[in-house]
Amino acid sequence: MHSYGQYCALAKTLDVLGGRWTLLIVRELLIRGACRYTDLRNGLPGIATNMLAERLRELEDAGVVEREDAPAPVATTLFRLTARGRELEPILQQLGAWGAPLLAQPARGDRFRTHWLTMPIGLHLRDRNPEAPPVRIELRTGDEPLTIETGDGRVHAKPGAAADPDLVLTGLPQAVMGLLLGKIDWNTAQRAGLRSEGDLKVLRRIQPEAAPA
Amino acid sequence: MHSYGQYCALAKTLDVLGGRWTLLIVRELLIRGACRYTDLRNGLPGIATNMLAERLRELEDAGVVEREDAPAPVATTLFRLTARGRELEPILQQLGAWGAPLLAQPARGDRFRTHWLTMPIGLHLRDRNPEAPPVRIELRTGDEPLTIETGDGRVHAKPGAAADPDLVLTGLPQAVMGLLLGKIDWNTAQRAGLRSEGDLKVLRRIQPEAAPA
DNA sequence: CGGCATCCACAGTGATACTG
DNA sequence: CAGTATCACTGTGGATGCCG
């Protein structure tokens, strides 16, 4: 990427992060932590492999990403964010929040990965009853299950199936997220094909505002 | 710009704002408010004129920018941010803050416009003595003067010369900003060619931390 | 002059194939 | 698994021209 050549902090930021795919690579590393090249490619459907390799090199040169030779038995390379790279988390959250309304439109043909829900969940949901025992919800809405857990007043999500979940939600991402964020009620979600197993009441504990269950 | 085609809020944001020059156009409109095509081109040294026209059209389609036929005598078109576009201000400030360390390096050959200092000044400086009468500082460090004013505990900057300023600073942007942000002391700034006229004590009132005057 | 449209050389991008 | 190599294609930057 050619530099903007401007003595301006924003322009310098864009010199580093403004290239195509760059911020989406940072998104993957924020969500996943250290990952392999193949994991990154899988979380970035549509990227060309040479593009990923080149961007990782640029991010490494810029001090945003570092590579690490994985521990003994596996013998593979891991990519992870540096401290400087992790400073980008709140910025990516805000950028995502700005674009959230754009997800309302149909957007047919869009690719989806379940772990992309991690950031919006951590940003928009709160545990309204931190004193009570924690709850676990499993989402099945794409390539892999996602586990939602309450803890210290916040709501965390991480890839993988939940052990002994209080609730399991199965359906399209639009319906799952619409329900979790309180944008649509349970009847609407059901009409959109959402299915549930377990205790729907736990939803009220984490939804941002009053929403019917 | 080709869409990423991902059902992810960040990817949707980048579909709209991720193109080359796009966020720098938003920067100009945030700093300047409504401006003419020519003003934009002037604040974006290096941009190709067809690029500016195309990006403005895209931003208009996305509901970030709107155009307005200027009032009676002038007969020109003005471009301004919509409410949706103005929501980007805190995000651009954070992106700029992230890149601020990159301005420390020499960066020879970089173009500069004085009004680019508006955002960092509003972000990093505070009026430590809001009860006292307001102060005005004029910066002369590039193409046009910039006026800094205190008010309601904050520090604002706007293009143009100051009427009856308490202090006038003249020199390179690195030196001016280094002094204002307390990164360098007055002697260092002076060695970097900075000249002053007026009362240097007013600096302490707005500098982020203790710094010698 | 302000607000573009057109044209062209070239750098960036994306798909596929291949390799240690 | 983690890339490199190749190549067609598209986006970008610079110059210039046009039109009210």
Side-chain angles (χ1 to χ4, degrees):
Chain A
M1 258 252 308
H2 184 241
S3 163
Y4 287 107
Q6 298 187 354
Y7 188 77
C8 160
L10 176 62
K12 292 300 175 196
T13 299
L14 294 176
D15 282 348
V16 174
L17 303 175
R20 190 153 174 79
W21 291 104
T22 305
L23 280 181
L24 294 183
I25 294 172
V26 174
R27 173 196 72 189
E28 287 301 306
L29 292 168
L30 274 173
I31 296 177
R32 296 267 203 207
C35 27
R36 296 171 304 170
Y37 188 87
T38 311
D39 300 328
L40 287 171
R41 224 176 34 178
N42 211 279
L44 296 163
I47 198 172
T49 174
N50 54 354
M51 181 88 311
L52 178 54
E54 187 183 331
R55 290 292 186 249
L56 284 170
R57 232 179 296 122
E58 292 169 4
L59 285 170
E60 212 183 336
D61 292 345
V64 176
V65 162
E66 58 193 1
R67 69 182 73 201
E68 170 202 7
D69 289 332
V74 279
T76 183
T77 313
L78 291 182
F79 298 88
R80 58 160 64 167
L81 292 175
T82 62
R84 176 105 174 114
R86 266 174 271 121
E87 288 174 23
L88 292 168
E89 179 163 20
I91 301 181
L92 292 210
Q93 280 177 343
Q94 284 194 262
L95 282 168
W98 189 88
L102 303 174
L103 291 178
Q105 281 104 295
R108 71 213 180 292
D110 274 3
R111 250 81 73 89
F112 178 69
R113 297 290 183 269
T114 308
H115 68 270
W116 294 344
L117 298 181
T118 303
M119 296 197 67
I121 285 171
L123 182 62
H124 295 295
L125 303 187
R126 290 292 174 271
D127 183 6
R128 298 229 208 113
N129 191 4
E131 315 302 330
V135 293
R136 265 191 305 281
I137 303 175
E138 181 175 320
L139 305 184
R140 299 178 187 162
T141 180
D143 51 320
E144 58 175 344
L146 190 78
T147 299
I148 298 181
E149 264 179 322
T150 60
D152 55 274
R154 308 191 134 252
V155 178
H156 302 276
K158 58 176 189 189
D164 188 31
D166 299 275
L167 175 65
V168 177
L169 295 175
T170 308
L172 294 175
Q174 294 90 322
V176 172
M177 281 308 283
L179 182 66
L180 283 174
L181 298 179
K183 302 278 188 193
I184 64 176
D185 61 21
W186 169 243
N187 288 330
T188 310
Q190 218 169 9
R191 248 174 283 122
L194 196 68
R195 296 292 169 261
S196 77
E197 196 179 327
D199 181 12
L200 279 169
K201 285 198 303 295
V202 300
L203 283 178
R204 282 193 223 165
R205 180 162 157 187
I206 60 170
Q207 279 165 331
E209 287 166 33
Chain B
M1 257 251 308
H2 183 240
S3 163
Y4 287 108
Q6 298 187 354
Y7 189 78
C8 161
L10 176 63
K12 291 301 175 197
T13 299
L14 295 175
D15 282 346
V16 174
L17 303 175
R20 190 152 172 80
W21 292 105
T22 305
L23 281 181
L24 295 183
I25 294 172
V26 174
R27 173 196 71 189
E28 287 301 306
L29 292 169
L30 274 173
I31 296 176
R32 296 268 203 206
C35 24
R36 295 172 305 171
Y37 188 87
T38 312
D39 299 327
L40 288 170
R41 222 177 37 181
N42 211 279
L44 296 163
I47 198 173
T49 172
N50 54 355
M51 184 81 317
L52 178 54
E54 186 183 332
R55 291 291 186 249
L56 283 170
R57 234 178 295 121
E58 292 170 3
L59 286 170
E60 212 183 335
D61 293 345
V64 176
V65 162
E66 58 194 359
R67 68 182 72 202
E68 170 201 7
D69 289 330
V74 280
T76 184
T77 312
L78 292 181
F79 299 88
R80 60 161 64 166
L81 292 175
T82 62
R84 177 105 173 114
R86 266 174 271 122
E87 288 174 23
L88 292 168
E89 179 164 19
I91 302 182
L92 292 211
Q93 281 177 342
Q94 285 192 261
L95 281 168
W98 190 87
L102 304 173
L103 291 178
Q105 281 104 295
R108 74 220 175 288
D110 275 1
R111 252 81 74 88
F112 178 68
R113 297 289 182 271
T114 309
H115 68 271
W116 294 343
L117 297 181
T118 303
M119 295 197 66
I121 285 171
L123 182 62
H124 296 294
L125 302 187
R126 291 291 174 270
D127 183 6
R128 300 231 208 111
N129 191 3
E131 315 301 330
V135 293
R136 266 192 304 279
I137 304 175
E138 182 176 320
L139 306 184
R140 298 178 187 162
T141 180
D143 50 322
E144 58 176 344
L146 190 79
T147 299
I148 299 181
E149 264 179 320
T150 61
D152 54 273
R154 307 191 134 252
V155 178
H156 301 276
K158 57 175 189 189
D164 189 30
D166 300 275
L167 174 64
V168 177
L169 294 174
T170 308
L172 294 176
Q174 294 90 322
V176 172
M177 282 307 285
L179 182 66
L180 283 174
L181 298 179
K183 302 278 187 192
I184 62 176
D185 62 20
W186 169 242
N187 287 331
T188 310
Q190 219 170 9
R191 248 173 283 121
L194 196 67
R195 295 295 170 260
S196 77
E197 196 179 327
D199 181 12
L200 279 169
K201 284 198 304 298
V202 300
L203 282 179
R204 283 194 222 162
R205 181 162 156 187
I206 60 170
Q207 280 165 330
E209 287 166 31

